[in-house]
Amino acid sequence: MMNTPHPRPKIAVIGAGWAGLSAAVTLARHADVTLFEAGRQAGGRARTLAGNTDGFGFLDNGQHILLGAYRGVLRLMKTIGSDPRAAFLRVPLHWHIHGGLQFRALPLPAPLHILGGVLLARRAPTAFKAKLLADMSDLQKSARLGQPDTTVAQWLKQRNVPRAAVMQFWQPLVWGALNTPLETASLRVLCNVLSDGVLTKKSGSDYLLPKQDLGAIVAEPALAELQRLGADIRLETRVCRLNTLPDGKVLVNGEPFDAAVPATAPYHAAALLPEGTPEHVQTAYQNLRYHAITTVYLRYAEPVRLPAPLTGLADGTVQWLLCRGRLGLPENEVSAVISVSDRVGAFANRAWADKVHADLKRILPHLGEPEAVRVITEKRATTAADAPPPDLSWLHRHRIFPAGDYLHPDYPATLEAAVQSGFAAAEACLQSLNDAV
């Protein structure tokens, strides 16, 4: 007798951010995928702004800065046919704090490329550099030994790290990588970011600065690949609470699926949890805390030439400034990133722009007034990197496989964490369905 081929499973992916797109692209090769997205466009919290851009080059909903260590993002791009060379300006790490610590990665194997760069750092006394290297070495040791977690602030205090080093290195690093205050940021997560990325492989510390809008880099080619694979894409379709059936199916807006991958922001994912979800899972979602990121785009009458690809300020409103001319955009445009901006203050857009312009004037004192500004604040840009993610085992048993940057067990809420989470959710989903056959 001939074996009847087992029908392809039918899987719902809810949310077309980078986690959902990663999951959907992975699943669509093995299953009939339906992708639900409440908005008009894909991309989630890493999307291109549609409509009026006030005369700027492309505008994303924030100035995203990626790293060469983002292996998951690069794997996704390869899968969907997006060329990293066209998408990003790759720049070796250049740490430049205005009036403070300045060093470049050296052409040496990791981690010597960073350690050697710090040894040759400008504007830093020998004792400052020696202490910074000793603290970086201690951090690597902590990662290898798996010591109990603590906050970055507590670790800095235990190590007697001088305030200058905190302001010129540790705080900009933690705010930029974890978007979490030092007082609550997990030292374990910081260790993972450094040991898995910038200190492991020289190319991992490279900046990947988007030369194209985020839609062109991931969202649009991912949707095109899903269409090619026959996925059913339903934009502007909001999903209500999921329901589980006795036969193991999951109801999504009343339609039965063999499994579901909720890949929305956590505050939306909590509303999708089905009846009967254990209280500890619901509580974990409710207890997640968030921090904002504000991006300010400014356009001037004259070209703006900053001293480094990313120019930082240790004591300003802005943490990092990027001259968009380096990305092939107009040379008179600048983007400014303010991480943990909810801790900086609650300002009107004009006030944010004035503060950023004042910071720019400290570096370029002859700069005239901006001709145009655009301020974008994502109030819940990331979850705080201060607690383990929710336990998903009960949901997995009911064929619900959440994905999202907030669920990565080791990394902070970044685009890389989102993509890796999407891959992991898809693989867990397929494995569960295969086991059930």
Side-chain angles (χ1 to χ4, degrees), residues 84-98:
R85 291 170 298 181
F88 300 118
L89 173 67
R90 180 182 278 266
V91 181
L93 185 144
H94 183 179
W95 188 271
H96 187 106
I97 299 296
H98 176 66

Side-chain angles (χ1 to χ4, degrees), residues 175 179-185 289-293 319 338-347 352 384 386:
W175 283 15
N179 195 42
T180 304
L182 302 180
E183 294 76 19
T184 56
R289 298 187 301 121
Y290 304 88
H291 291 297
I293 298 176
Q319 285 105 50
I338 304 145
S339 299
V340 203
S341 58
D342 50 303
R343 294 295 187 95
V344 176
F347 304 111
W352 279 119
D386 60 6

Side-chain angles (χ1 to χ4, degrees), residues 296-343:
V296 180
Y297 297 99
L298 303 101
R299 187 175 72 244
Y300 291 88
E302 67 267 38
V304 180
R305 295 187 172 90
L306 293 166
L310 284 176
T311 301
L313 286 166
D315 56 354
T317 299
V318 173
Q319 285 105 50
W320 298 104
L321 294 157
L322 171 65
C323 181
R324 284 158 60 88
R326 291 177 179 261
L327 307 177
L329 295 167
E331 292 188 341
N332 57 341
E333 294 183 10
V334 178
S335 57
V337 179
I338 304 145
S339 299
V340 203
S341 58
D342 50 303
R343 294 295 187 95

